[in-house]
Amino acid sequence: MNAFLDALIHYDFLQGALLAGLLASIGCGVVGTLVVVKRIAFMAGGIAHSVLGGMGAALYFGLDPLLGALFAAIVSALLIGGVRLAWAAQEDTLIGALWAIGMAVGILFIAKTPGYATDLISLLFGNILLVPERALWFMGALDLVLLVVVGLCYRQFVAVIFDEEFARLRGVPVAFFYLLLLCLVAVTVVLLIQVVGLILVIALLTLPAAIAGHYLHSLGAMMVVATLLGMAFTSGGLALSYGPDLPAGPTMILLAGAAYVLSALVARLLARHRAARRARAGG
């Protein structure tokens, strides 16, 4: 740990990596909480994997891959959301199709991209140590958009997440806010790609929020705690991976996964303890 802290002071790339993890954790905590409570992690997975098609096409045509990722993610989110609203029975099929097609299209474009061959592994599993400065500004802008939208539409999101039918009866345009929620998921996926890559996005999107959900029932409190946990996992994973020279993204996910398993066990023990106390009090 001392070696990591010393290197953090002297090396700009480590400072950028730490900042990237903190920025990604903001979207991870805020939107990840909505994903966990609404139980749409599978949808988020479909959006995440379809992004590779947009990144591959952007690289092929000489454009910024992040812009390609954002475009592909939003298009996929709208397609999945539209099918879910119109033909719920076909939702799983479409998600699976977009998942596979997006990956295949992206790999084909990357394979045919002239010039320097893109490192496919870094796209799939992330490379937080190589996040450029322009990407940090891009991530900051995306975080600002997420916070503003969630802040302005918080009550509508709560209504849609917990009871769509009641929200519809109260005059809330459920379809609009549902699609907007999926677009926020798409933006968050693009944020997390910089840190852990396409394959590991869902873990970092859901695990901090799931841990917070073990102990909290307020949506706002869950968002705050999930954001702090995301920051702890990204920073801790970066520190743990530095000494042994391990890939940072997978290390972050293993840290988050271990924390989730431990939290689930603790939450289960606490629930049993409370149930036993109630039984004794009732007896």
Side-chain angles (χ1 to χ4, degrees):
M1 182 60 73
N2 289 335
F4 170 75
L5 294 175
D6 183 63
L8 186 63
I9 296 173
H10 294 95
Y11 297 123
D12 291 342
F13 74 92
L14 272 181
Q15 296 169 11
L18 181 65
L19 181 56
L22 297 178
L23 289 172
S25 299
I26 296 173
C28 161
V30 173
V31 178
T33 297
L34 302 178
V35 168
V36 168
V37 175
K38 185 63 175 172
R39 298 183 180 179
I40 54 173
F42 185 53
M43 285 188 182
I47 293 170
H49 287 76
S50 66
V51 160
L52 187 60
M55 297 182 78
L59 287 168
Y60 181 80
F61 292 108
L63 303 174
D64 190 330
L66 285 180
L67 294 178
L70 185 61
F71 177 78
I74 291 177
V75 169
S76 298
L78 293 176
L79 279 174
I80 292 172
V83 169
R84 187 262 183 185
L85 292 171
W87 306 291
Q90 302 297 320
E91 177 184 355
D92 289 349
T93 303
L94 178 68
I95 293 174
L98 285 175
W99 190 309
I101 292 171
M103 295 285 286
V105 168
I107 292 173
L108 289 176
F109 269 116
I110 290 171
K112 300 303 292 183
T113 299
Y116 176 72
T118 301
D119 184 5
L120 186 58
I121 296 298
S122 67
L123 294 179
L124 295 179
F125 296 99
N127 195 341
I128 192 172
L129 297 177
L130 296 180
V131 176
E133 184 178 349
R134 59 176 176 77
L136 295 176
W137 285 103
F138 187 74
M139 293 171 73
L142 292 183
D143 272 332
L144 182 60
V145 169
L146 289 174
L147 292 174
V148 169
V149 173
V150 172
L152 292 176
C153 307
Y154 181 79
R155 290 190 176 186
Q156 291 87 341
F157 282 137
V158 171
V160 170
I161 286 171
F162 287 107
D163 194 335
E164 288 187 15
E165 190 59 35
F166 178 74
R168 195 173 285 110
L169 292 174
R170 292 295 299 269
V172 177
V174 171
F176 171 78
F177 283 103
Y178 181 75
L179 293 175
L180 181 59
L181 171 59
L182 292 185
C183 287
L184 295 184
V185 172
V187 171
T188 308
V189 162
V190 176
L191 272 173
L192 296 179
I193 283 172
Q194 294 292 305
V195 178
V196 293
L198 297 172
I199 302 297
L200 304 176
V201 160
I202 299 306
L204 198 57
L205 185 65
T206 57
L207 289 176
I211 294 172
H214 286 155
Y215 311 101
L216 301 168
H217 301 290
S218 164
L219 201 65
M222 281 182 64
M223 288 179 177
V224 173
V225 172
T227 299
L228 295 176
L229 286 172
M231 291 179 174
F233 295 147
T234 54
S235 303
L238 187 63
L240 289 173
S241 66
Y242 180 77
D245 194 23
L246 297 172
T251 305
M252 294 172 188
I253 299 304
L254 284 176
L255 180 61
Y260 174 78
V261 171
L262 179 62
S263 175
L265 292 173
V266 170
R268 188 174 182 84
L269 290 174
L270 290 175
R272 286 182 176 180
H273 179 67
R274 286 193 294 266
R277 287 183 60 185
R278 285 195 296 267
R280 288 195 297 269

